[in-house]
Amino acid sequence: MMQDNKEERFPIVDEEGRVVGSATRGECHNGSRLLHPVVHLHVFNSRGEVYLQKRPEWKDIQPGKWDTSVGGHMDYGETPEQALAREVREELGITDFRPERIGQYVFDSRRERELVYVNRTVYDGPVSPSAAELDGGRFWTLDEIREAIGKDVLTPNFESEFQRFFPIQPS
């Protein structure tokens, strides 16, 4: 069974994104609530559908749920742009995309605090989800997302972020 590397080093940042230290994945996810940066990319196709990835059952946070197209931690010494390019390549096999930064916010849960850099792109090329990192993925219509919200199908982080940055109008 796979698992996350609890010794992987993450930068610790202030709410403006300035690096103030470092800690391991294990330290960041053990309830310490050390603020660490992550990058998210919402991949839309030209029909307005959104690609969601399925989190594997072995993940330490929100296993088995549908989540943001791409989400990953920044490595120590990486910029948000470098981390985004690396994560998109690793998770979905996409290298030719134009990200648009649409915001950032602090995600706060009982277990962790993340400074989330939110990006979007429109992409119609091939998507090859990593068999090592994901349990697949697919494009969802906005109606399918609206129907799944609040039903323990999507990660709470995705639900709150999507509704904040891409408010879905009732059909």
Side-chain angles (χ1 to χ4, degrees), residues 12-43:
I12 302 303
V13 296
D14 65 17
E15 293 195 4
E16 304 304 311
R18 290 181 292 263
V19 176
V20 297
S22 73
T24 65
R25 174 191 294 269
E27 291 167 331
C28 289
H29 290 177
N30 69 3
S32 68
R33 301 170 39 72
L34 293 167
L35 185 63
H36 56 289
V38 299
V39 291
H40 285 178
L41 179 68
H42 296 270
V43 177

Side-chain angles (χ1 to χ4, degrees), residues 23 26-27 37-38 41-42 52 58 67 69 78 112 121 124 168:
E27 291 167 331
V38 299
L41 179 68
H42 296 270
L52 298 184
W58 55 262
D67 201 1
S69 310
E78 247 181 347
E112 65 173 341
T121 195
D124 286 313
I168 301 175

Side-chain angles (χ1 to χ4, degrees), residues 28-82:
C28 289
H29 290 177
N30 69 3
S32 68
R33 301 170 39 72
L34 293 167
L35 185 63
H36 56 289
V38 299
V39 291
H40 285 178
L41 179 68
H42 296 270
V43 177
F44 290 81
N45 63 24
S46 57
R47 294 186 305 279
E49 298 167 332
V50 184
Y51 190 89
L52 298 184
Q53 64 164 263
K54 182 118 188 260
R55 294 179 64 79
E57 293 295 337
W58 55 262
K59 288 303 255 180
D60 62 346
I61 294 180
Q62 298 294 330
K65 295 203 177 152
W66 290 90
D67 201 1
T68 310
S69 310
V70 173
H73 292 89
M74 281 175 52
D75 289 340
Y76 194 82
E78 247 181 347
T79 66
E81 295 76 21
Q82 290 167 331

Side-chain angles (χ1 to χ4, degrees), residues 102-149:
I102 57 173
Q104 69 186 57
Y105 69 99
V106 173
F107 175 71
D108 209 336
S109 73
R110 284 177 295 151
R111 190 160 177 190
E112 65 173 341
R113 286 179 73 225
E114 296 176 330
L115 178 62
V116 183
Y117 293 93
V118 183
N119 300 272
R120 73 180 301 266
T121 195
V122 175
Y123 178 80
D124 286 313
V127 179
S128 303
S130 164
E133 291 197 41
L134 309 176
D135 270 354
R138 68 175 179 88
F139 280 96
W140 291 54
T141 66
L142 295 184
D143 282 341
E144 287 176 309
I145 291 172
R146 184 183 306 109
E147 183 62 32
I149 287 176

